[in-house]
Amino acid sequence: MRKIDNTQPWSLPTTTYASIGAARATEKDRGTHTRRQQPNSTQQRGSKQPYRRVRALRPKTNIKRLSPDHRFILKLFLTICFIFFAIFFFQRFFELWSYHYKSIPTDVAAQLIDEIPSAPSLASQLLAHTNARLAGTPQALDVAKQTKQTWQRSLPHVDMTPTTMELNWPLLQQLDVIDGSNVFQRRWTYDNSKPVATDIPTIPFHAFSADGNVTGHVVDVGAGLAHDYARLETKGLRFTETIALIRYDAQQPMLAGYQVTLAQRHGCVGALLYADPRENSHKNGPDTPHDAYPVGPWRAPASKAFASVMDLATGIHVPADMPLAPETPENASKEQNALPTIPSLPISWNDAQFLMNRANSSSDNAVSNVEVRLVNVNQRAPRTLHHITARIPGQQDIDKAVIIGCQRDALETSGVVESASSSAIMDELVRTLGVLMKKGWRPRRTIVLASWDAAAYGQVGPAAWVHTNQAWLYKDAVAYVDIGSVAGELFDAQGSPLLQRLLFDQCQDLFDHDQGQSLYDLWKKSASMQGRPLDSLLRPIALDNPGTAFFYRLGIPSLSMRFTSNHFGVAHTNDDNLDWTYRFGDSKLVYHRMLVKLSALVALHLSSDPVLPLFPLDYADRMVDAIQQRMQAAHADDAPAWTPLRDALYTLQITSAKFDRKMTKAQDAFDQRKHYSKKLQRQAVQINTAVAQFERTFLDAMGLPGRTWYKHAVYGPDAENPAQIVTFPALDATNATSSAVEQRITALVVTATDLLS
């Protein structure tokens, strides 16, 4: 065989021809032709001379092509993968799941809040809520439907929740002096053919008052508190079979039930409650008008005050199987009953003077010379209540909820300051939040707005709603904010120390142009006029507040805000109307508008801040101050008994300070960065979980001694004056169980410390 020079580019080895031939045969079988160079005519086909230039032909592989359907599926899959990758890339490297890009920034929303609320809108809402709206009446249902329609114009998720409860209305009130002169006699008759009365009684009455027809001598017990009875008993006075004449402070309506219950415990068979027009008017300066309404702002001597006589000192008792039942001799020993068994009536200052003038002036026993007959007849029946609730879903922590509520019903005919003012403010707040949502704002956490029915009946309406929803409230409620009413220019707030710093910051940002001061300065001014220390501006939640069940029963951080007046003399009377508000309260609705702004700002930060604005350090400082004051006031021998609790509070204070620095650092990171790392978000979740549960760690399952409805171990009503909320109410050096109570409180403080650690 001839050797081929492999260095020549045109030479091919002999074996290549065989491969080429095989490839050609294969292509021929497929119906294809391979073009090659033809030999010259002089060149024989069988010659062994090589071709001058022969192109190397390589065999083609057998490639299986995709069908059109498969190619379409592949393209679709690749397109979907590209879209998902593009979305992931955009979020990860441009947004990093930043909350700022899902909602308008908080500072922008705060600027809008300053512009949205308007006085004309508030005026129209205020007028709409001045109709009679006694709980359980058709008129109250009409107002509830109107409120629902108003909210639906701004928010999509609005519901009306009915619930049934037994309530009372007056049928007959009568007070006769036995010697023949009638003090007064009032009768209210219903159409018994209808299950629900079509008209609302305009005469003042006591909610939950017992029926009765009793006779006895009238005894003037002053304010009707424990020390008043003790003072009279030292003079040899006995109260059995007497009728107590009690001075009722309309500025502290939560006392009425306790006053009637205390008279019942001392053997009285009835109670007469009157409001003294001089109670507040003599405390004001020379520039304050002293005339009675309608000339001035004060209570008319002939007016009577509405009140609820449920004893809030023992709690708001809403059993699972409503309706409520009055106390009877069979169940009188049970603590769960807070309704009195003796009848009570509201009387005027003129009526009270008539009875006091007949007292024996030659002795100090305060007993009148004549007997009186007291008649009180009520109609009791199950009534349907209607709570209005709206929901703004959260975008990230949808399970966590901030609840904002207000009272809607009223015992009075008009009741502007009683509840119409707060309802108008709530309506304007709903409108403000609706406008914010249209501008692009979305809360991080869910907001629940509520308009309470039957709050005037000893707060049983809100308490019943809390009782029904206590499972998810205990688990997921972040805070409760109660919107109060406006009676003047003096700001007042009550709430948990956890919310103190948030409220201070927002009050400093709001400015009253009429008085040339910030709201924070107005707050200090109001506290100074009332003689309260400036280091404790935020007082604990009072018992006549819809937040009572939230705070004292479930341990939910609560806040209540309102504007008061030093001349609100028509409280809880039918003179509480629009005319009084525009003449003596808030003529230009400046403070109504300011309260809308403040409520919206508080709701904005509680629902949208990445780090919850709840600060345990402020709470720990208040508790340390309280225990130090108690130990200083106690006897030297009793002081060491509280040393373990004091030491535990010191440890909590130190831990809270470290936790506060951690919170500040995390919040600064959120404020300075537009893109949040996963580590920072995990840290925020840990902080929020701890501060949201901090208040609940102070719940004592055994409750306060003798008042087990109240579960809060740090704050609670004073045993002898429920109008005063004290710190560590269960601690009593003279109580035999004080040591056990102290051990339980100390254990709760240790639990709170571990939570922050």
Side-chain angles (χ1 to χ4, degrees):
M1 179 178 296
R2 182 182 177 181
K3 295 182 179 180
I4 305 299
D5 187 5
N6 293 332
T7 62
Q8 299 296 326
W10 59 81
S11 63
L12 292 173
T14 307
T15 56
T16 305
Y17 294 104
S19 300
I20 295 173
R24 288 174 177 172
T26 302
E27 292 172 356
K28 187 176 181 180
D29 294 339
R30 294 177 183 174
T32 60
H33 300 279
T34 303
R35 186 176 180 181
R36 70 179 181 86
Q37 184 179 0
Q38 297 295 331
N40 297 331
S41 59
T42 59
Q43 188 178 12
Q44 298 299 325
R45 187 177 297 274
S47 176
K48 295 182 180 179
Q49 296 293 330
Y51 293 111
R52 298 286 300 175
R53 294 185 67 88
V54 179
R55 180 181 297 176
L57 300 178
R58 303 190 180 191
K60 295 183 179 181
T61 58
N62 187 13
I63 300 176
K64 294 183 179 180
R65 299 182 179 276
L66 294 174
S67 65
D69 293 339
H70 289 171
R71 287 197 299 270
F72 173 77
I73 294 175
L74 179 61
K75 291 179 180 179
L76 181 62
F77 174 75
L78 294 176
T79 302
I80 294 175
C81 291
F82 175 78
I83 293 174
F84 275 101
F85 176 77
I87 295 175
F88 173 81
F89 181 85
F90 181 78
Q91 289 185 342
R92 183 66 182 87
F93 295 98
F94 290 92
E95 290 187 3
L96 286 175
W97 299 284
S98 174
Y99 179 70
H100 286 291
Y101 292 89
K102 294 184 178 181
S103 171
I104 61 175
T106 304
D107 54 350
V108 176
Q111 293 177 0
L112 292 174
I113 288 174
D114 187 61
E115 302 171 357
I116 296 173
S118 67
S121 178
L122 279 166
S124 62
Q125 300 295 349
L126 187 61
L127 179 62
H129 284 281
T130 54
N131 297 326
R133 54 199 180 280
L134 183 66
T137 61
Q139 291 85 346
L141 177 59
D142 293 339
V143 175
K145 292 179 178 178
Q146 172 186 307
T147 302
K148 180 181 178 181
Q149 294 175 358
T150 301
W151 290 16
Q152 285 177 333
R153 289 196 289 265
S154 301
L155 301 177
H157 308 289
V158 182
D159 299 314
M160 185 165 64
T161 306
T163 183
T164 303
M165 186 177 299
E166 184 178 281
L167 302 177
N168 71 299
W169 290 337
L171 284 178
L172 175 64
Q173 296 179 357
Q174 184 171 339
L175 182 63
D176 298 326
V177 178
I178 297 302
D179 63 3
S181 60
N182 285 342
V183 177
F184 69 89
Q185 180 176 350
R186 302 289 185 268
R187 184 183 298 272
W188 184 261
T189 305
Y190 289 110
D191 185 355
N192 295 326
S193 63
K194 298 181 180 180
V196 179
T198 57
D199 294 324
I200 293 181
T202 58
I203 58 173
F205 71 100
H206 287 165
F208 296 120
S209 176
D211 294 343
N213 186 343
V214 296
T215 302
H217 290 277
V218 175
V219 53
D220 184 5
V221 296
L225 300 179
H227 62 84
D228 294 304
Y229 288 97
R231 173 178 54 83
L232 294 176
E233 285 177 342
T234 58
K235 298 179 180 181
L237 186 63
R238 296 295 177 263
F239 307 100
T240 305
E241 301 298 325
T242 62
I243 295 178
L245 181 62
I246 304 172
R247 185 175 68 253
Y248 165 67
D249 187 357
Q251 303 298 331
Q252 296 179 337
M254 76 292 290
L255 273 178
Y258 178 70
Q259 290 170 320
V260 175
T261 301
L262 206 56
Q264 173 184 319
R265 293 174 184 173
H266 283 82
C268 298
V269 295
L272 301 173
L273 275 67
Y274 70 94
D276 189 347
R278 306 169 303 175
E279 184 69 24
N280 296 309
S281 61
H282 71 278
K283 300 178 182 179
N284 298 285
D287 296 335
T288 304
H290 290 72
D291 294 327
Y293 183 82
V295 178
W298 297 107
R299 181 186 306 274
S303 66
K304 306 176 183 64
F306 293 81
S308 171
V309 293
M310 174 181 282
D311 184 13
L312 298 180
T314 59
I316 306 172
H317 304 291
V318 183
D321 54 344
M322 290 179 273
L324 293 172
E327 188 175 354
T328 61
E330 291 76 14
N331 61 17
S333 61
K334 297 182 180 180
E335 183 189 353
Q336 294 300 319
N337 294 282
L339 303 183
T341 59
I342 64 173
S344 63
L345 290 180
I347 63 174
S348 67
W349 169 243
N350 290 338
D351 297 332
Q353 278 189 314
F354 174 82
L355 295 175
M356 287 187 290
N357 290 337
R358 289 175 174 266
N360 190 351
S361 59
S362 61
S363 64
D364 294 331
N365 58 12
V367 178
S368 61
N369 291 327
V370 295
E371 291 183 314
V372 298
R373 181 171 63 249
L374 186 158
V375 180
N376 186 40
V377 181
N378 294 279
Q379 182 185 28
R380 303 179 186 274
R383 309 294 181 187
T384 302
L385 314 179
H386 299 88
H387 302 308
I388 308 299
T389 56
R391 185 172 176 270
I392 304 177
Q395 297 299 298
Q396 291 186 334
D397 301 332
I398 189 172
D399 293 333
K400 302 302 178 183
V402 177
I403 301 100
I404 306 173
C406 75
Q407 176 181 337
R408 190 183 68 250
D409 71 309
L411 301 179
E412 302 88 348
T413 305
S414 182
V416 173
V417 178
E418 170 70 13
S419 64
S421 173
S422 58
S423 295
I425 294 171
M426 174 65 86
D427 290 350
E428 189 67 7
L429 174 63
V430 169
R431 190 182 73 86
T432 300
L433 296 179
V435 174
L436 285 180
M437 294 183 67
K438 293 179 181 178
K439 297 289 185 179
W441 171 76
R442 295 295 183 272
R444 174 185 292 265
R445 305 169 190 90
T446 299
I447 297 178
V448 177
L449 301 117
S451 176
W452 306 121
D453 200 2
Y457 278 84
Q459 307 300 331
V460 294
W465 189 87
V466 171
H467 178 85
T468 304
N469 300 277
Q470 60 182 345
W472 76 265
L473 285 173
Y474 183 84
K475 178 183 177 182
D476 296 325
V478 172
Y480 173 77
V481 179
D482 182 71
I483 298 179
S485 58
V486 175
E489 70 286 353
L490 303 179
F491 180 70
D492 182 47
Q494 306 165 358
S496 168
L498 285 174
L499 293 159
Q500 174 177 286
R501 199 179 308 181
L502 169 64
L503 186 59
F504 283 1
D505 293 341
Q506 305 313 310
C507 288
Q508 290 174 350
D509 293 338
L510 289 177
F511 193 79
D512 182 8
H513 297 281
D514 291 343
Q515 299 193 39
Q517 293 177 313
S518 68
L519 183 56
Y520 181 73
D521 294 331
L522 292 177
W523 190 2
K524 292 192 296 183
K525 175 183 175 182
S526 174
S528 177
M529 293 181 62
Q530 297 176 8
R532 293 190 287 110
L534 299 181
D535 56 352
S536 58
L537 288 177
L538 186 64
R539 297 178 296 163
I541 293 288
L543 301 186
D544 61 334
N545 192 292
T548 299
F550 289 92
F551 184 70
Y552 294 105
R553 187 72 174 172
L554 297 184
I556 298 174
S558 301
L559 178 66
S560 177
M561 302 170 292
R562 62 176 181 172
F563 279 91
T564 63
S565 172
N566 60 358
H567 53 265
F568 181 43
V570 297
H572 303 289
T573 69
N574 285 327
D575 291 334
D576 177 13
N577 51 35
L578 273 179
D579 178 68
W580 189 96
T581 297
Y582 281 117
R583 291 175 57 196
F584 307 108
D586 189 12
S587 58
K588 299 180 180 179
L589 302 182
V590 173
Y591 301 104
H592 282 78
R593 188 168 178 262
M594 187 174 293
L595 192 52
V596 175
K597 294 180 182 180
L598 179 60
S599 303
L601 289 173
V602 171
L604 173 67
H605 288 282
L606 284 175
S607 64
S608 300
D609 283 1
V611 179
L612 271 173
L614 305 175
F615 300 95
L617 178 59
D618 299 338
Y619 212 120
D621 291 342
R622 294 283 287 270
M623 289 190 292
V624 169
D625 293 340
I627 195 64
Q628 289 177 345
Q629 293 175 5
R630 274 184 170 270
M631 295 183 69
Q632 292 175 0
H635 192 270
D637 296 336
D638 298 329
W642 294 332
T643 301
L645 176 58
R646 182 197 58 187
D647 295 341
L649 289 174
Y650 283 159
T651 304
L652 175 62
Q653 190 179 37
I654 296 173
T655 305
S656 299
K658 297 178 181 179
F659 190 84
D660 192 84
R661 290 192 293 269
K662 181 180 179 181
M663 289 182 62
T664 303
K665 183 178 179 180
Q667 186 60 52
D668 291 342
F670 277 106
D671 294 339
Q672 296 172 5
R673 305 177 189 177
K674 293 184 179 180
H675 312 306
Y676 307 149
S677 64
K678 291 184 177 180
K679 179 180 178 181
L680 182 59
Q681 293 181 9
R682 286 195 299 268
Q683 185 180 14
V685 171
Q686 294 173 356
I687 292 175
N688 293 340
T689 302
V691 298
Q693 294 297 321
F694 184 78
E695 189 92 55
R696 292 165 176 77
T697 60
F698 299 118
L699 293 181
D700 186 359
M702 299 182 65
L704 298 182
R707 298 170 291 169
T708 58
W709 187 90
Y710 292 99
K711 303 298 183 182
H712 209 295
V714 178
Y715 292 105
D718 183 72
E720 296 185 357
N721 186 0
Q724 297 180 359
I725 306 300
V726 297
T727 310
F728 302 119
L731 290 182
D732 186 0
T734 62
N735 193 341
T737 62
S738 179
S739 177
V741 171
E742 182 201 357
Q743 293 178 4
R744 295 205 309 269
I745 298 176
T746 303
L748 297 178
V749 173
V750 173
T751 303
T753 305
D754 295 339
L755 178 66
L756 300 183
S757 301

